[in-house]
Amino acid sequence: MLSLAEISDRFEIQQLLIDYSTAIDQKRFDDLDKVFTPDAYIDYRVTGGIDGQYPRVKAWLAEVLPNFPAYYHMLGNVDLRIDGDRATSRAICFNPMAMGGEHKQIYFVGIWYVDEFIRTPDGWRMSRRVEEKCFDKLV
C-alpha cells in the first residue's frame, strides 16, 4: 500500500506532466519554469527538434511552436517510478499538429516521453526529457 507521502509525490509528478502539456499547448512558455530544473536536459531530435539545456530549448519552443496554428498533447499510460528524491517515468504522447501554409495538413506524432525528476526545495521538477519515436505521419 502506498503511503500518503508516496501518493502525494505521484500526484505532484503527474501534475508536472499536465503542466508541461498545458504550457506548450497554450503557448505559455514561461510556465515551463515551474516544470523543469534550470539545468534540465531536453531532447526533441526524433521529431525534428533540438536537444540541449532547458533555457536554449525553451527559447527554441517559443520561436518555433507559434508557427503551428493548432496542436495538442494527449498523455497516457504513465509508468512512474519513485525512488526517494528521484523519479523516472515513461508516458505515451499523441500529438497531432496542424501545419500552416497554403496546403492544410496534419502532422500526427506518436512518441514516448522518457523523463527524470528530482525533488527540489520548490517541489518536484523535471530534470531530463527525451522523446522516443513510435510513429509520425503527415496527412
Side-chain angles (χ1 to χ4, degrees):
M1 180 180 297
L2 294 174
S3 70
L4 288 178
E6 291 168 325
I7 293 168
S8 177
D9 287 343
R10 287 185 167 279
F11 276 125
E12 189 173 340
I13 292 169
Q14 288 173 346
Q15 188 61 49
L16 278 180
L17 297 174
I18 294 166
D19 290 348
Y20 168 85
S21 295
T22 301
I24 295 290
D25 292 347
Q26 295 182 2
K27 298 177 178 77
R28 295 189 335 235
F29 303 108
D30 287 338
D31 289 358
L32 295 172
D33 295 349
K34 293 183 180 176
V35 172
F36 290 101
T37 61
D39 63 345
Y41 172 74
I42 304 168
D43 185 349
Y44 295 141
R45 291 177 294 170
V46 299
T47 55
I50 66 169
D51 76 318
Q53 300 307 120
Y54 168 63
R56 177 174 175 254
V57 174
K58 176 185 168 185
W60 176 82
L61 289 168
E63 177 185 328
V64 171
L65 289 181
N67 295 312
F68 294 88
Y71 54 84
Y72 70 82
H73 291 72
M74 184 171 64
L75 302 178
N77 294 1
V78 178
D79 182 10
L80 177 59
R81 307 295 170 146
I82 301 171
D83 184 11
D85 291 336
R86 298 195 171 271
T88 60
S89 75
R90 181 177 167 91
I92 291 172
C93 176
F94 177 63
N95 176 212
M97 302 181 77
M99 306 292 281
E102 213 173 296
H103 304 287
K104 303 297 181 205
Q105 292 182 299
I106 303 288
Y107 180 48
F108 290 102
V109 180
I111 56 174
W112 288 277
Y113 284 132
V114 180
D115 300 325
E116 295 178 12
F117 305 87
I118 188 166
R119 189 189 316 267
T120 74
D122 296 318
W124 286 96
R125 296 293 184 265
M126 193 178 300
S127 58
R128 181 178 175 86
R129 166 157 277 185
V130 175
E131 293 179 339
E132 291 182 358
K133 187 187 294 188
C134 178
F135 68 88
D136 63 353
K137 173 99 174 140
L138 186 62
V139 294

